[in-house]
Amino acid sequence: MTTAASDSDVQAAADALRAGTLVAFPTETVYGLGALITDEAAIRRIYDVKSRPRSQALLAHVSGVPMARTLVEDWPERADALARQFWPGPLTMVLRKSPHAPDIATGGGTTIGLRCPDHDVALRLIDAVGDAIAGTSANRSGEPSPVTPEQVRRAFEPDVVHVLDAGRAPGGLESTVLLLGDSERDDRILRPGPIGAAALGLDSSQTLTGSQEQRDQAIVRLVSDEDLNQVNVPNGSVLITHHTPAPRFDGACVQLPPEAEAYSREMYDAIHRATASRSDRGWILVVEPQEAGEVWDAIRQRLNRLSGKN
Protein backbone atom coordinates (compact mmCIF):
# COMPACT_ATOMS: atom_id res chain seq x y z
CA MET A 1 0.00 0.00 0.00
CA THR A 2 1.32 3.43 -0.94
CA THR A 3 1.36 6.01 1.84
CA ALA A 4 1.64 9.75 1.45
CA ALA A 5 4.48 11.60 3.13
CA SER A 6 3.33 14.56 5.22
CA ASP A 7 4.62 18.08 4.71
CA SER A 8 6.64 17.72 7.92
CA ASP A 9 8.19 14.48 6.61
CA VAL A 10 9.22 16.20 3.39
CA GLN A 11 10.56 19.24 5.27
CA ALA A 12 12.58 17.02 7.60
CA ALA A 13 14.15 15.32 4.57
CA ALA A 14 14.90 18.70 2.97
CA ASP A 15 16.54 19.87 6.21
CA ALA A 16 18.60 16.66 6.27
CA LEU A 17 19.82 17.30 2.72
CA ARG A 18 20.80 20.87 3.59
CA ALA A 19 22.70 19.54 6.62
CA GLY A 20 24.71 17.19 4.41
CA THR A 21 22.83 13.97 5.24
CA LEU A 22 22.02 11.47 2.51
CA VAL A 23 18.29 10.98 1.91
CA ALA A 24 16.49 8.01 0.38
CA PHE A 25 13.31 9.08 -1.42
CA PRO A 26 10.71 7.41 -3.63
CA THR A 27 10.39 7.79 -7.38
CA GLU A 28 7.84 6.28 -9.74
CA THR A 29 10.16 3.28 -10.18
CA VAL A 30 12.43 2.60 -7.17
CA TYR A 31 13.82 4.44 -4.13
CA GLY A 32 16.70 6.81 -4.89
CA LEU A 33 19.60 7.88 -2.68
CA GLY A 34 20.41 11.56 -2.95
CA ALA A 35 22.47 14.56 -1.88
CA LEU A 36 22.20 18.22 -2.81
CA ILE A 37 23.85 18.80 -6.18
CA THR A 38 26.07 21.50 -4.64
CA ASP A 39 27.20 19.41 -1.64
CA GLU A 40 30.36 17.70 -2.89
CA ALA A 41 31.14 16.08 0.47
CA ALA A 42 27.69 14.48 0.64
CA ILE A 43 27.97 13.31 -2.97
CA ARG A 44 31.25 11.58 -2.08
CA ARG A 45 29.42 9.79 0.72
CA ILE A 46 26.94 8.37 -1.80
CA TYR A 47 29.85 6.66 -3.55
CA ASP A 48 31.31 5.52 -0.24
CA VAL A 49 28.15 4.04 1.32
CA LYS A 50 27.18 2.28 -1.92
CA SER A 51 30.75 1.09 -2.64
CA ARG A 52 30.20 2.62 -6.06
CA PRO A 53 33.18 3.43 -8.32
CA ARG A 54 33.59 7.20 -8.56
CA SER A 55 33.93 6.93 -12.33
CA GLN A 56 30.20 6.07 -12.52
CA ALA A 57 28.21 9.27 -12.80
CA LEU A 58 25.14 10.05 -10.71
CA LEU A 59 21.90 11.51 -12.09
CA ALA A 60 20.48 14.92 -11.25
CA HIS A 61 16.83 14.82 -10.16
CA VAL A 62 15.14 18.07 -11.17
CA SER A 63 11.69 19.60 -10.79
CA GLY A 64 11.40 20.49 -14.46
CA VAL A 65 13.03 22.22 -17.41
CA PRO A 66 13.96 25.53 -15.67
CA MET A 67 16.02 23.67 -13.05
CA ALA A 68 17.50 21.36 -15.69
CA ARG A 69 18.72 24.35 -17.71
CA THR A 70 20.90 25.51 -14.80
CA LEU A 71 22.89 22.28 -14.97
CA VAL A 72 23.75 22.23 -18.69
CA GLU A 73 25.65 24.42 -21.11
CA ASP A 74 22.97 24.21 -23.78
CA TRP A 75 19.35 23.05 -23.80
CA PRO A 76 18.52 22.04 -27.38
CA GLU A 77 15.07 22.10 -28.91
CA ARG A 78 15.02 18.28 -28.93
CA ALA A 79 15.47 18.23 -25.14
CA ASP A 80 12.49 20.59 -24.84
CA ALA A 81 10.37 18.32 -27.02
CA LEU A 82 11.35 15.19 -25.07
CA ALA A 83 10.68 16.92 -21.74
CA ARG A 84 7.21 17.97 -22.91
CA GLN A 85 6.44 14.39 -23.90
CA PHE A 86 8.09 12.35 -21.14
CA TRP A 87 8.64 14.54 -18.06
CA PRO A 88 7.80 13.94 -15.33
CA GLY A 89 8.71 10.33 -16.07
CA PRO A 90 11.41 7.67 -16.34
CA LEU A 91 13.58 9.37 -18.97
CA THR A 92 17.09 10.62 -18.15
CA MET A 93 18.60 12.95 -20.75
CA VAL A 94 22.39 13.29 -20.87
CA LEU A 95 23.80 16.66 -21.96
CA ARG A 96 27.02 18.64 -21.56
CA LYS A 97 27.12 19.95 -18.00
CA SER A 98 27.46 23.49 -16.70
CA PRO A 99 29.74 24.57 -13.80
CA HIS A 100 26.75 24.30 -11.42
CA ALA A 101 27.14 20.51 -11.61
CA PRO A 102 30.31 19.48 -9.73
CA ASP A 103 32.71 17.03 -11.36
CA ILE A 104 32.29 14.56 -8.48
CA ALA A 105 28.62 14.11 -9.46
CA THR A 106 29.47 13.28 -13.07
CA GLY A 107 32.30 10.83 -12.50
CA GLY A 108 34.73 13.45 -13.74
CA GLY A 109 32.96 13.55 -17.10
CA THR A 110 31.72 16.50 -19.09
CA THR A 111 28.07 15.44 -19.27
CA ILE A 112 25.26 15.04 -16.76
CA GLY A 113 22.08 12.97 -16.73
CA LEU A 114 18.87 14.87 -15.95
CA ARG A 115 15.66 13.24 -14.72
CA CYS A 116 12.34 14.67 -13.54
CA PRO A 117 10.72 11.91 -11.44
CA ASP A 118 6.99 11.29 -11.76
CA HIS A 119 6.36 10.99 -8.03
CA ASP A 120 4.66 13.67 -5.96
CA VAL A 121 6.88 13.11 -2.90
CA ALA A 122 10.10 13.33 -4.92
CA LEU A 123 8.97 16.54 -6.61
CA ARG A 124 7.89 18.05 -3.28
CA LEU A 125 11.32 17.26 -1.87
CA ILE A 126 13.13 18.89 -4.80
CA ASP A 127 10.91 21.96 -4.48
CA ALA A 128 11.54 22.10 -0.72
CA VAL A 129 15.33 22.26 -1.15
CA GLY A 130 15.11 24.50 -4.23
CA ASP A 131 17.86 22.74 -6.17
CA ALA A 132 18.62 19.51 -7.95
CA ILE A 133 19.30 16.31 -6.03
CA ALA A 134 22.25 14.22 -7.23
CA GLY A 135 21.53 10.57 -6.78
CA THR A 136 21.16 6.98 -7.87
CA SER A 137 19.22 3.97 -6.65
CA ALA A 138 19.26 3.45 -2.87
CA ASN A 139 21.04 0.10 -2.82
CA ARG A 140 24.61 -1.03 -2.36
CA SER A 141 26.36 -1.55 -5.69
CA GLY A 142 25.68 -4.97 -7.10
CA GLU A 143 22.40 -5.46 -5.22
CA PRO A 144 18.86 -5.10 -6.58
CA SER A 145 17.26 -1.67 -6.45
CA PRO A 146 14.85 -1.15 -3.49
CA VAL A 147 11.15 -0.57 -3.87
CA THR A 148 10.27 -0.30 -0.16
CA PRO A 149 11.60 1.80 2.75
CA GLU A 150 12.35 -1.43 4.63
CA GLN A 151 14.68 -2.60 1.86
CA VAL A 152 16.55 0.71 2.08
CA ARG A 153 16.83 0.42 5.87
CA ARG A 154 18.27 -3.09 5.55
CA ALA A 155 20.99 -1.73 3.26
CA PHE A 156 22.03 1.36 5.25
CA GLU A 157 22.30 2.35 8.90
CA PRO A 158 19.79 5.03 10.07
CA ASP A 159 22.57 7.41 11.09
CA VAL A 160 23.93 7.24 7.53
CA VAL A 161 20.77 7.58 5.43
CA HIS A 162 17.57 9.48 6.27
CA VAL A 163 14.61 7.62 4.72
CA LEU A 164 11.69 9.67 3.42
CA ASP A 165 9.05 7.00 3.84
CA ALA A 166 6.20 7.14 1.34
CA GLY A 167 5.43 3.43 1.34
CA ARG A 168 6.18 1.10 -1.52
CA ALA A 169 7.43 2.70 -4.72
CA PRO A 170 5.40 1.67 -7.77
CA GLY A 171 8.32 -0.46 -8.96
CA GLY A 172 9.70 -1.06 -12.41
CA LEU A 173 12.84 -0.61 -14.43
CA GLU A 174 15.08 2.33 -13.67
CA SER A 175 14.82 5.22 -16.14
CA THR A 176 15.84 5.03 -19.76
CA VAL A 177 19.12 6.94 -20.17
CA LEU A 178 19.39 8.84 -23.46
CA LEU A 179 22.54 10.64 -24.62
CA LEU A 180 21.53 13.58 -26.82
CA GLY A 181 23.91 13.99 -29.75
CA ASP A 182 24.37 16.91 -32.11
CA SER A 183 21.40 15.63 -34.11
CA GLU A 184 18.69 13.03 -33.55
CA ARG A 185 20.60 10.42 -35.56
CA ASP A 186 23.50 10.85 -33.11
CA ASP A 187 21.33 10.10 -30.05
CA ARG A 188 22.17 6.92 -28.16
CA ILE A 189 20.30 4.98 -25.48
CA LEU A 190 22.97 4.26 -22.88
CA ARG A 191 20.62 2.24 -20.66
CA PRO A 192 17.33 0.74 -21.86
CA GLY A 193 14.34 1.28 -19.65
CA PRO A 194 10.59 1.86 -19.60
CA ILE A 195 10.69 4.24 -22.59
CA GLY A 196 11.92 2.33 -25.62
CA ALA A 197 13.73 3.38 -28.78
CA ALA A 198 10.54 3.42 -30.85
CA ALA A 199 8.81 5.83 -28.44
CA LEU A 200 11.86 8.12 -28.65
CA GLY A 201 11.82 8.08 -32.45
CA LEU A 202 15.04 6.04 -32.66
CA ASP A 203 15.88 2.69 -34.21
CA SER A 204 17.35 -0.32 -32.44
CA SER A 205 20.89 0.44 -33.66
CA GLN A 206 20.88 3.52 -31.42
CA THR A 207 20.70 1.41 -28.25
CA LEU A 208 24.07 0.46 -26.79
CA THR A 209 24.33 -3.13 -25.64
CA GLY A 210 25.88 -4.25 -22.37
CA SER A 211 25.80 -2.70 -18.92
CA GLN A 212 27.48 0.61 -18.16
CA GLU A 213 28.22 -0.60 -14.63
CA GLN A 214 30.78 -3.05 -13.33
CA ARG A 215 29.61 -5.74 -10.92
CA ASP A 216 31.87 -7.46 -8.43
CA GLN A 217 29.64 -10.46 -7.77
CA ALA A 218 26.57 -12.24 -9.05
CA ILE A 219 23.34 -11.77 -7.11
CA VAL A 220 21.26 -14.12 -9.24
CA ARG A 221 21.91 -17.11 -11.50
CA LEU A 222 20.05 -17.18 -14.80
CA VAL A 223 18.71 -20.56 -15.87
CA SER A 224 16.32 -22.15 -18.34
CA ASP A 225 13.62 -24.60 -17.34
CA GLU A 226 15.80 -27.37 -18.76
CA ASP A 227 18.84 -26.26 -16.72
CA LEU A 228 17.03 -27.08 -13.50
CA ASN A 229 17.21 -30.78 -14.38
CA GLN A 230 20.95 -30.58 -14.96
CA VAL A 231 22.28 -28.26 -12.22
CA ASN A 232 23.02 -29.48 -8.69
CA VAL A 233 21.13 -26.77 -6.79
CA PRO A 234 21.97 -26.34 -3.07
CA ASN A 235 19.26 -26.77 -0.46
CA GLY A 236 17.68 -23.49 0.59
CA SER A 237 17.70 -22.02 -2.92
CA VAL A 238 14.82 -19.94 -4.33
CA LEU A 239 13.54 -20.00 -7.91
CA ILE A 240 11.98 -16.92 -9.56
CA THR A 241 9.93 -17.77 -12.64
CA HIS A 242 7.29 -16.24 -14.87
CA HIS A 243 6.35 -19.53 -16.52
CA THR A 244 3.02 -21.22 -15.82
CA PRO A 245 3.06 -23.91 -14.71
CA ALA A 246 6.30 -23.35 -12.82
CA PRO A 247 9.15 -25.73 -13.66
CA ARG A 248 9.77 -28.62 -11.29
CA PHE A 249 11.87 -27.38 -8.38
CA ASP A 250 12.44 -28.76 -4.89
CA GLY A 251 12.85 -25.38 -3.16
CA ALA A 252 10.77 -22.24 -2.71
CA CYS A 253 9.37 -20.64 -5.84
CA VAL A 254 8.39 -17.00 -6.49
CA GLN A 255 5.96 -16.52 -9.36
CA LEU A 256 6.20 -13.34 -11.47
CA PRO A 257 3.63 -12.22 -14.06
CA PRO A 258 4.17 -13.31 -17.69
CA GLU A 259 3.55 -9.80 -19.06
CA ALA A 260 6.66 -7.62 -19.50
CA GLU A 261 5.39 -4.44 -17.81
CA ALA A 262 3.99 -6.30 -14.81
CA TYR A 263 7.15 -8.42 -14.57
CA SER A 264 9.32 -5.28 -14.52
CA ARG A 265 7.28 -3.73 -11.69
CA GLU A 266 7.64 -6.80 -9.46
CA MET A 267 11.12 -8.05 -10.40
CA TYR A 268 13.24 -6.20 -7.83
CA ASP A 269 10.85 -6.88 -4.98
CA ALA A 270 10.88 -10.59 -5.89
CA ILE A 271 14.68 -10.65 -5.76
CA HIS A 272 14.66 -8.91 -2.37
CA ARG A 273 12.12 -11.45 -1.05
CA ALA A 274 14.17 -14.33 -2.42
CA THR A 275 17.29 -12.90 -0.79
CA ALA A 276 15.53 -12.76 2.57
CA SER A 277 14.14 -16.30 2.35
CA ARG A 278 17.05 -18.30 0.91
CA SER A 279 19.59 -20.02 3.14
CA ASP A 280 23.17 -18.82 3.49
CA ARG A 281 24.32 -21.43 0.96
CA GLY A 282 21.25 -21.23 -1.25
CA TRP A 283 21.13 -19.64 -4.68
CA ILE A 284 18.65 -17.22 -6.23
CA LEU A 285 17.75 -18.76 -9.58
CA VAL A 286 15.86 -16.73 -12.19
CA VAL A 287 14.31 -18.34 -15.24
CA GLU A 288 15.77 -16.17 -18.00
CA PRO A 289 13.08 -14.53 -20.15
CA GLN A 290 13.31 -15.38 -23.85
CA GLU A 291 10.40 -13.23 -25.00
CA ALA A 292 10.97 -10.53 -27.63
CA GLY A 293 10.29 -6.83 -27.14
CA GLU A 294 11.94 -3.65 -25.87
CA VAL A 295 10.75 -4.03 -22.28
CA TRP A 296 11.95 -7.65 -22.19
CA ASP A 297 15.31 -6.46 -23.60
CA ALA A 298 15.58 -3.96 -20.75
CA ILE A 299 14.60 -6.62 -18.21
CA ARG A 300 17.32 -8.94 -19.56
CA GLN A 301 19.87 -6.12 -19.29
CA ARG A 302 19.07 -5.71 -15.57
CA LEU A 303 19.13 -9.47 -14.96
CA ASN A 304 22.43 -9.82 -16.83
CA ARG A 305 23.87 -7.06 -14.63
CA LEU A 306 22.73 -8.80 -11.45
CA SER A 307 24.06 -12.13 -12.69
CA GLY A 308 27.49 -10.67 -13.48
CA LYS A 309 27.13 -11.31 -17.21
CA ASN A 310 28.00 -7.69 -18.04
Side-chain angles (χ1 to χ4, degrees):
M1 182 179 73
T2 300
T3 58
S6 67
D7 289 343
S8 61
D9 292 335
V10 173
Q11 190 58 54
D15 292 343
L17 285 171
R18 293 193 193 94
T21 300
L22 305 184
V23 170
F25 59 95
T27 72
E28 76 276 27
T29 56
V30 301
Y31 266 76
L33 180 66
L36 276 183
I37 192 72
T38 54
D39 192 337
E40 296 189 30
I43 292 172
R44 289 189 184 93
R45 282 198 295 279
I46 291 179
Y47 287 101
D48 292 342
V49 301
K50 283 178 60 78
S51 299
R52 179 184 176 95
R54 291 193 179 181
S55 59
Q56 293 179 5
L58 305 180
L59 306 180
H61 298 79
V62 299
S63 58
V65 170
M67 186 177 288
R69 284 178 176 270
T70 69
L71 294 166
V72 296
E73 283 187 354
D74 182 52
W75 184 258
E77 184 177 328
R78 175 149 168 76
D80 242 357
L82 288 168
R84 284 195 299 271
Q85 186 173 2
F86 296 109
W87 278 9
L91 175 66
T92 296
M93 290 187 279
V94 180
L95 294 158
R96 188 169 294 275
K97 77 179 189 72
S98 74
H100 186 56
D103 291 343
I104 185 65
T106 62
T110 59
T111 58
I112 187 167
L114 305 166
R115 160 150 155 70
C116 180
D118 189 14
H119 196 291
D120 174 66
V121 173
L123 293 174
R124 286 162 58 198
L125 177 62
I126 296 168
D127 285 340
V129 295
D131 207 346
I133 298 175
T136 179
S137 54
N139 57 295
R140 294 186 184 276
S141 290
E143 297 180 357
S145 299
V147 296
T148 68
E150 293 74 24
Q151 290 163 3
V152 177
R153 293 185 180 109
R154 284 198 292 269
F156 304 108
E157 296 296 328
D159 59 339
V160 174
V161 174
H162 176 103
V163 179
L164 177 52
D165 188 340
R168 190 188 193 279
L173 300 173
E174 301 93 338
S175 65
T176 300
V177 178
L178 176 66
L179 173 66
L180 292 181
D182 293 334
S183 66
E184 187 173 332
R185 66 176 176 272
D186 299 318
D187 292 351
R188 293 292 182 270
I189 295 176
L190 304 182
R191 182 180 72 188
I195 301 171
L200 294 169
L202 309 179
D203 60 51
S204 59
S205 68
Q206 291 174 274
T207 299
L208 300 186
T209 58
S211 171
Q212 301 302 304
E213 301 180 49
Q214 296 178 346
R215 296 290 171 179
D216 296 329
Q217 60 183 352
I219 300 300
V220 304
R221 295 170 184 252
L222 300 180
V223 296
S224 66
D225 291 355
E226 293 75 19
D227 289 337
L228 293 173
N229 298 320
Q230 303 170 13
V231 177
N232 186 18
V233 178
N235 291 333
S237 295
V238 180
L239 175 69
I240 298 173
T241 181
H242 62 298
H243 290 174
T244 304
R248 293 185 60 183
F249 184 69
D250 291 335
C253 183
V254 177
Q255 186 77 44
L256 287 180
E259 300 83 17
E261 288 78 9
Y263 185 110
S264 72
R265 287 193 297 272
E266 298 186 26
M267 174 177 67
Y268 286 132
D269 192 49
I271 295 172
H272 278 285
R273 287 188 283 121
T275 301
S277 62
R278 73 178 176 90
S279 70
D280 289 342
R281 296 180 179 274
W283 296 345
I284 299 173
L285 302 167
V286 179
V287 173
E288 185 169 12
Q290 299 299 324
E291 291 85 347
E294 287 187 323
V295 176
W296 284 117
D297 289 342
I299 288 168
R300 277 187 287 273
Q301 188 267 344
R302 302 311 196 279
L303 290 174
N304 284 337
R305 182 190 67 189
L306 291 170
S307 71
K309 279 191 174 182
N310 56 34

